[in-house]
Amino acid sequence: MEPEFQTALRIASYNIRAGLGTDLRRDPARTLRAIAALKADIVTLQEADFRMGARPSALPRDLLRDMTGLVPVAGDDRSLGWHGIALLVRPDIVAQDVHRLDLPSAEPRGAVVVDLLSALGPIRVVGVHLGLLRRSRRRQLDYVRDFIGGLAPMPTVIAGDFNERSTRVGLGRIAQDFTILPAARTFPSTLPLLPLDRIAHCDQLQVRMEPVPKMPAPHPSDHRPIVAAVTARPMAGSRRPDPPHSSPLPR
């Protein structure tokens, strides 16, 4: 492992389809085992709550921490998240500010913006689940970017289901301020063809995509998760210390 990633945070994103697997069985315990297997410090979930009525959590709260070691920070007493977008963190990571956004769309869409205090220091994680239409996604990314721009500067990661099929077009506006990492194909989970799930980051961070543990069949969701390692970018002018020089052995 490169030295700069030895203390990295693992950040994952996973659209869990409210615990509905590819066998069309709703199995929350199976979903929790899949989340635990990611071994992430921070996880953004999409479709973590049911859509109807009071939007109750699709995952049992009493098992969440026991099975994953994570706690939710963006929900309320009924919902795990906001518009189904939840943010789970290790208990030693502290949520300092939580913003719940209603995104412009003909369909209900939202985002969560959470300022965290972690082992890396302050970090802002934005969880998104963008719309089905490209014009809607562009408006939503503009809205998220403008909202973040109005906050105090902080190292930022955006993660979630971007619902964008193309790796070349459709997300250009967010690319003005963020690096969008190369996308793996995550949908459908049984035979991934489309790179719908993405991670983007600001220039204060170094981020690299990580291998994802193999999920047992039937898959816990119709999406596959993504995982990235996140660390601070060295300040300009700084460099790693030179390795110690070895003295020649006496003859």
Side-chain angles (χ1 to χ4, degrees):
M1 178 182 292
E2 297 97 324
E4 60 267 31
F5 282 98
Q6 288 180 352
T7 58
L9 289 174
R10 280 176 66 87
I11 296 182
S13 178
Y14 195 9
N15 184 328
I16 63 170
R17 195 166 65 159
L20 187 67
T22 53
D23 57 356
L24 301 183
R25 289 180 56 246
R26 203 175 298 281
D27 187 344
R30 176 174 60 186
T31 302
L32 291 171
R33 288 193 296 270
I35 294 170
L38 302 176
K39 300 185 184 304
D41 302 292
I42 301 169
V43 180
T44 67
L45 298 179
Q46 302 84 49
E47 300 189 28
D49 302 315
F50 294 108
R51 292 194 175 202
M52 305 303 292
R55 293 180 177 266
S57 170
L59 300 177
R61 290 175 179 269
D62 57 339
L63 295 178
L64 179 59
R65 181 165 179 170
D66 289 344
M67 293 187 66
T68 69
L70 304 169
V71 295
V73 296
D76 55 28
D77 291 341
R78 292 174 297 186
S79 301
L80 206 60
W82 174 251
H83 285 282
I85 303 166
L87 190 71
L88 310 179
V89 302
R90 298 283 181 202
D92 60 325
I93 297 175
V94 179
Q96 297 184 306
D97 283 303
V98 179
H99 307 276
R100 302 173 181 89
L101 310 184
D102 288 306
L103 298 183
S105 180
E107 52 180 327
R109 293 286 174 178
V112 296
V113 180
V114 184
D115 294 348
L116 301 167
L117 188 58
S118 72
L120 285 182
I123 185 169
R124 178 171 292 140
V125 178
V126 183
V128 299
H129 189 183
L130 302 181
L132 298 175
L133 300 176
R134 181 169 288 167
R135 63 177 179 271
S136 294
R137 292 192 290 273
R138 286 174 168 165
R139 290 175 60 209
Q140 290 158 11
L141 288 173
D142 283 349
Y143 189 94
V144 169
R145 186 185 66 181
D146 291 345
F147 182 85
I148 295 172
L151 300 176
M154 186 178 295
T156 300
V157 173
I158 304 173
D161 181 353
F162 280 45
N163 258 324
E164 177 55 62
R165 301 180 176 209
S166 175
T167 58
R168 299 190 306 273
V169 298
L171 302 176
R173 287 174 169 84
I174 205 74
Q176 295 173 18
D177 301 306
F178 293 86
T179 298
I180 303 170
L181 295 180
R185 296 173 181 177
T186 55
F187 182 87
S189 57
T190 50
L191 183 63
L193 299 173
L194 304 175
L196 301 187
D197 302 274
R198 310 288 180 92
I199 290 178
H201 66 91
C202 72
D203 60 7
Q204 293 175 271
L205 297 170
Q206 292 187 102
V207 183
R208 70 176 185 192
M209 300 305 294
E210 294 283 285
V212 175
K214 185 176 180 180
M215 295 288 167
H219 291 274
S221 172
D222 57 347
H223 284 245
R224 292 192 179 189
I226 54 175
V227 182
V230 179
T231 190
R233 185 177 296 279
M235 296 178 62
S238 66
R239 65 184 181 91
R240 300 178 204 154
D242 293 330
H245 295 287
S246 56
S247 303
L249 296 174
R251 295 183 180 274

